[in-house]
C-alpha cells in the first residue's frame, strides 16, 4: 500500500511503517522522560522536607510574609541591575571589539599597540572582578579628582573593563577564524584593510562567535549584583537590608529567584542562536 505526501513520490508500506515506528518511539521517549522527572522530583521533595532541620530552614529561608514585604524594595533594586546590565553589556562589547582589532593589527610599527592590547586582556582576565570593583569604587575616589563619577558609574566601569577582556578574546577568535584568502580577495578588489575588515571579516566573525558573546552576557547579568559591594542599592543590597531588618534570609531567596527569571530570556536566546549556528554549519 502506498500513499502520496504533498505531491511527493508515493511512500511504500515499509516507509509508512518506519514513520509510524519513529512516532511511537518519540511518544514513548516523552512519556519515559516525564515519568523519570516526576519520580526524581518526588524523591527530592521527600528527602528535603523529611530532613530533621527542614522546619528551621523553611522558617529562615522561605517565609512568605517576609518575601512579600521585601519584594517591592528588591524589585526597585532589580531595575537598577537591569539598567546597569544594558549599559555595561554595550560598553563591554564595544571596548572588547576595539581591543580585538588592536590585537589583530599587522606590521612591526603596531607592535606597541598589540603589546598594550595583549597586556590589557591578560590583566583583566586574570584579576578577580571583586578586586577590580574595590579598586575603582574605593581607591579611585580617594584621589579626589575634579568631576569624579559616582560609585555606581565606577562599579559599572569595573564590569566593563573586566568583561571586555573576555569579549576581546572571543572577538579575536572570530576574526582569526576567517580565512586570510578572503582578506586578500577583498584587497584585490580595491578595498582598503579597514574596508575589508568592516565589510568582509567582521560580519562573518561576529556571526560565528555570537553564541559565546551571548553566554558572556548571561554571566555579566549575574555579576552586576556585585556592585552592591560598593554601596548602590540594587536587588542584592536591598535583600541584604531586608535580611538585617527581619533577621531572616528569605529576601536573598527572592533576589535569587528574580535574577533567575531575568536570565531565562537571555539563556533562551543564547540556546536558540547556538542551535541556529550549528544547523547553518551543518548545511541544513
Amino acid at each position: 500500500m502506498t500513499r502520496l505526501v504533498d505531491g511527493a513520490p508515493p511512500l511504500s508500506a515499509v516507509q509508512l511503517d518506519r514513520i509510524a515506528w519513529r512516532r511511537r518511539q518519540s511518544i514513548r521517549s516523552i512519556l519515559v522522560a516525564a515519568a523519570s522527572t516526576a519520580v526524581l522530583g518526588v524523591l527530592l521533595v521527600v528527602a528535603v522536607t523529611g530532613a530533621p532541620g527542614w522546619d528551621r530552614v523553611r522558617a529562615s529561608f522561605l517565609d512568605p510574609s517576609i518575601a512579600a514585604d521585601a519584594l517591592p524594595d528588591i524589585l526597585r533594586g532589580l531595575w537598577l541591575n537591569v539598567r546597569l546590565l544594558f549599559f555595561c553589556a554595550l560598553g563591554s562589547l564595544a571596548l572588547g571589539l576595539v581591543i580585538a582589532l588592536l590585537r589583530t593589527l599587522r606590521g612591526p610599527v603596531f607592535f606597541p599597540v598589540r603589546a598594550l592590547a595583549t597586556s590589557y586582556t591578560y590583566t583583566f582576565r586574570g584579576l578577580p572582578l571583586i578586586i577590580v570593583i574595590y579598586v575603582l569604587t574605593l581607591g579611585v575616589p580617594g584621589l579626589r579628582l575634579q568631576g569624579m563619577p559616582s560609585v555606581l558609574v565606577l562599579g559599572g566601569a569595573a564590569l566593563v573593563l573586566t568583561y571586555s577582556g573576555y569579549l576581546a578574546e572571543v572577538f579575536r577568535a572570530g576574526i582569526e577564524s576567517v580565512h586570510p584568502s578572503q582578506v586578500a580577495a577583498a584587497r584585490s578588489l580595491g578595498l582598503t584593510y579597514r574596508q575589508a575588515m568592516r565589510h568582509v571579516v567582521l560580519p562573518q566573525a561576529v556571526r560565528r562567535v555570537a553564541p559565546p558573546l551571548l553566554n558572556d552576557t548571561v554571566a555579566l547579568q549575574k555579576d552586576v549584583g556585585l556592585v552592591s559591594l560598593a554601596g548602590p542599592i540594587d536587588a542584592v543590597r536591598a535583600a541584604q537590608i531586608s535580611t538585617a531588618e527581619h533577621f531572616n534570609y528569605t529576601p536573598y531567596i527572592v533576589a535569587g529567584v528574580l535574577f533567575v527569571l531575568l536570565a531565562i530570556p537571555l539563556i533562551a536566546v543564547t540556546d536558540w542562536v547556538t542551535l541556529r549556528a550549528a544547523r547553518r554549519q551543518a548545511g541544513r
Side-chain angles (χ1 to χ4, degrees):
M1 180 178 179
T2 59
R3 187 180 66 178
L4 292 176
V5 179
D6 297 332
L11 299 177
S12 65
V14 175
Q15 290 175 316
L16 292 174
D17 291 339
R18 186 180 296 116
I19 293 174
W21 179 82
R22 288 177 179 173
R23 187 174 300 147
R24 290 194 301 269
Q25 287 297 108
S26 298
I27 296 175
R28 180 176 176 273
S29 298
I30 293 173
L31 293 177
V32 171
S36 61
T37 303
V39 171
L40 180 60
V42 171
L43 291 177
L44 289 175
V45 170
V46 171
V48 172
T49 58
W54 165 244
D55 291 335
R56 177 176 294 181
V57 171
R58 182 177 59 184
S60 299
F61 288 87
L62 300 172
D63 191 317
S65 61
I66 294 178
D69 182 69
L71 182 60
D73 292 334
I74 296 176
L75 284 175
R76 281 192 291 270
L78 186 67
W79 173 235
L80 176 63
N81 291 115
V82 172
R83 288 179 291 167
L84 191 63
L85 170 64
F86 177 77
F87 289 107
C88 288
L90 292 181
S92 300
L93 289 170
L95 183 57
L97 180 58
V98 171
I99 297 298
L101 291 174
L102 294 179
R103 288 201 64 181
T104 57
L105 291 175
R106 297 292 182 261
V109 69
F110 294 113
F111 174 77
V113 177
R114 292 197 303 270
L116 287 175
T118 302
S119 301
Y120 178 92
T121 57
Y122 281 18
T123 299
F124 285 103
R125 289 167 66 200
L127 276 175
L129 175 57
I130 190 172
I131 293 180
V132 181
I133 291 177
Y134 278 143
V135 170
L136 264 68
T137 59
L138 302 180
V140 173
L143 298 175
R144 298 183 179 180
L145 300 175
Q146 294 292 331
M148 180 66 63
S150 65
V151 173
L152 179 62
V153 174
L154 292 174
L159 291 168
V160 170
L161 290 174
T162 300
Y163 271 87
S164 61
Y166 292 100
L167 295 177
E169 289 302 288
V170 175
F171 278 122
R172 186 171 71 93
I175 292 172
E176 294 183 349
S177 69
V178 179
H179 200 276
S181 62
Q182 299 197 33
V183 179
R187 297 297 299 273
S188 67
L189 293 175
L191 274 68
T192 63
Y193 178 79
R194 181 183 303 178
Q195 292 173 331
M197 290 294 295
R198 177 183 176 185
H199 299 289
V200 178
V201 177
L202 285 182
Q204 298 181 70
V206 172
R207 185 167 61 248
R208 292 179 181 181
V209 299
L213 289 177
L214 290 173
N215 190 58
D216 284 337
T217 305
V218 173
L220 176 61
Q221 181 264 331
K222 297 183 299 181
D223 285 344
V224 293
L226 292 177
V227 297
S228 63
L229 297 172
I233 303 179
D234 67 336
V236 178
R237 179 51 65 93
Q240 182 183 24
I241 294 172
S242 182
T243 296
E245 291 177 352
H246 297 94
F247 299 99
N248 189 286
Y249 295 100
T250 302
Y252 281 126
I253 302 299
V254 174
V257 170
L258 291 177
F259 270 100
V260 171
L261 295 177
L262 180 63
I264 287 176
L266 290 174
I267 296 173
V269 171
T270 302
D271 292 342
W272 177 77
V273 171
T274 303
L275 180 61
R276 186 178 176 215
R279 288 179 175 175
R280 184 189 298 114
Q281 187 175 3
R284 295 180 182 178

